[in-house]
Amino acid sequence: MACKHASMPPAPAPTRPWTIEAEGLRLGVRLTPRGGRDGIDGVGVGADGRSVLQIRVAAAPLEGAANAALVALLAKRLRMRRSDIAILSGETARLKVLRLSGDGPALAERLAADLDRR
């Protein structure tokens, strides 16, 4: 007799890791320093179940170099000033919350378009 296994339902697709706010966009990030290259790897789900944007940078996490590389990468990809990107929490952690100041819906649209191009 053949053994029947219940098939696992597919994992739900991660939701967008940002929230539009009056000041701009709040963005959850999981940063991997010393990642060999600078790049956005896509959207993932953290251990707490929240969606995060997975980003890697070549810089080491010494004296803020990885955070500076993170800000520079996002500023370049989203065509915005570095000064408009602030780390709200997680300065010394892999999981970070950033605020991207500006037009929240427009920033969300640019970020979604950047992710869709990958």
Side-chain angles (χ1 to χ4, degrees), residues 43-60:
V43 176
V45 178
D48 59 0
R50 289 188 284 179
S51 293
V52 291
L53 188 61
Q54 297 175 319
I55 298 178
R56 66 178 59 232
V57 294

Side-chain angles (χ1 to χ4, degrees), residues 31-74:
L31 180 65
T32 302
R34 293 187 188 150
R37 63 176 173 79
D38 292 351
I40 298 175
D41 292 336
V43 176
V45 178
D48 59 0
R50 289 188 284 179
S51 293
V52 291
L53 188 61
Q54 297 175 319
I55 298 178
R56 66 178 59 232
V57 294
L62 301 172
E63 299 178 7
N67 287 339
L70 166 66
V71 169
L73 172 67
L74 285 173

Side-chain angles (χ1 to χ4, degrees), residues 73-93:
L73 172 67
L74 285 173
K76 181 178 180 180
R77 296 281 287 263
L78 299 176
R79 301 176 312 277
M80 57 189 305
R81 296 181 311 218
R82 292 179 192 173
S83 61
D84 287 336
I85 300 173
I87 299 174
L88 299 179
S89 67
E91 186 84 25
T92 60

Side-chain angles (χ1 to χ4, degrees), residues 13-37:
T15 60
R16 298 294 189 186
W18 60 78
T19 305
I20 296 172
E21 298 181 334
E23 302 85 17
L25 203 68
R26 180 181 287 255
L27 177 64
V29 170
R30 183 181 191 284
L31 180 65
T32 302
R34 293 187 188 150
R37 63 176 173 79

